[in-house]
């Protein structure tokens, strides 16, 4: 899905950076294992630049943004941080990935917000795209938080293992704490 720009109070917010894209993820040869190449199709959810309504909250005029499933509130902070997402996605092999309680995954980037520790959490799903079409990487949400999602001392899983297991149909075991 290609996201349409939104204009709020005369200012245009372009969303081209969140249009779907594809890239080839290469796992270099190591020991007796040959190089492996995976085609990855990246899709972003509107949760990357919008937020849900609080109980009883009315969406301010012009801030409504919807897809075919839901209507949410355009969020300037999420929007501004979303410019980092394409780079985060293409660098997942260098980041620690974690399981969430819903059998999906996330990465967290530490950010310093005026001397305060903050975390940019990026939640994603990985699935087969069909015969000879590679894998789909769906970024389901991304937002800044005050704390690490789902606690600390979590055991990470490497992105190349996630990709290989999804590609080959192997089960991904949840780590023990």
């Amino acid at each position: 899905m290609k996201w349409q720009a939104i204009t709020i109070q005369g200012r245009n917010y372009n969303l081209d950076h969140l249009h779907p894209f594809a890239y080839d993820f290469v796992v270099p040869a190591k020991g007796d294992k040959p190089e492996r190449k995976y085609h990855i199709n990246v899709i972003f959810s509107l949760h990357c630049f919008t937020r849900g309504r609080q109980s009883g909250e009315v969406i301010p005029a012009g801030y409504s943004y919807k897809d075919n499933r839901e209507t949410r509130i355009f969020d300037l902070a999420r929007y501004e941080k979303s410019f980092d997402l394409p780079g985060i996605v293409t660098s997942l092999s260098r980041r620690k990935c974690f399981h969430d309680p819903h059998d999906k995954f996330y990465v967290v980037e530490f950010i310093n917000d005026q001397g305060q520790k903050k975390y940019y959490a990026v939640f994603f799903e990985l699935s087969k795209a069909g015969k000879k079409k590679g894998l789909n990487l769906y970024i389901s949400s991304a937002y800044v938080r005050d704390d690490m999602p789902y606690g600390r001392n979590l055991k990470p899983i490497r992105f190349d293992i996630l990709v290989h297991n999804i590609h080959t149909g192997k089960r991904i075991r949840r780590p023990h704490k």
Side-chain angles (χ1 to χ4, degrees):
M1 172 178 237
K2 290 192 175 182
W3 301 109
Q4 298 299 313
I6 184 172
T7 302
I8 300 172
Q9 298 173 348
R11 183 170 173 205
N12 188 48
Y13 296 93
N14 190 316
L15 295 163
D16 290 354
H17 64 287
L18 296 178
H19 288 339
F21 71 93
Y23 74 102
D24 288 328
F25 172 59
V26 178
V27 179
K30 186 175 181 182
D32 60 345
K33 294 181 181 177
E35 175 183 277
R36 292 175 288 169
K37 187 185 289 188
Y38 303 94
H39 186 73
I40 298 184
N41 307 294
V42 181
I43 305 137
F44 297 96
S45 157
L46 82 160
H47 288 228
C48 296
F49 60 91
T50 64
R51 66 173 177 83
R53 278 188 283 206
Q54 303 297 324
S55 180
E57 180 181 19
V58 176
I59 297 177
Y63 281 77
S64 176
Y65 201 99
K66 64 182 177 179
D67 65 6
N68 59 353
R69 296 178 313 148
E70 62 186 321
T71 300
R72 292 173 55 90
I73 300 172
F74 179 80
D75 184 282
L76 185 58
R78 284 189 186 204
Y79 169 77
E80 288 176 353
K81 205 62 189 132
S82 73
F83 283 93
D84 294 343
L85 286 172
I88 289 171
V89 164
T90 56
S91 68
L92 283 171
S93 65
R94 298 185 306 273
R95 299 173 180 274
K96 293 179 179 180
C97 299
F98 301 94
H99 284 83
D100 79 3
H102 313 288
D103 285 329
K104 295 180 179 55
F105 306 95
Y106 65 97
V107 295
V108 178
E109 181 175 282
F110 169 74
I111 57 175
N112 191 349
D113 186 28
Q114 290 94 25
Q116 292 183 316
K117 197 183 259 193
K118 299 278 186 178
Y119 299 90
Y120 187 48
V122 179
F123 296 87
F124 65 93
E125 299 173 46
L126 196 57
S127 63
K128 280 189 171 184
K131 278 200 184 259
K132 307 218 181 207
K133 293 184 181 173
L135 299 170
N136 289 330
L137 178 61
Y138 178 66
I139 308 302
S140 57
S141 189
Y143 55 92
V144 174
R145 317 170 38 107
D146 291 331
D147 56 355
M148 178 79 167
Y150 309 112
R152 300 192 186 279
N153 302 322
L154 301 171
K155 187 175 178 183
I157 183 168
R158 292 190 338 250
F159 185 68
D160 62 317
I161 291 172
L162 290 175
V163 168
H164 177 74
N165 286 6
I166 296 294
H167 178 75
T168 60
K170 284 177 85 175
R171 191 171 83 84
I172 299 171
R173 289 181 280 143
R174 288 176 94 22
H176 299 290
K177 287 188 178 183

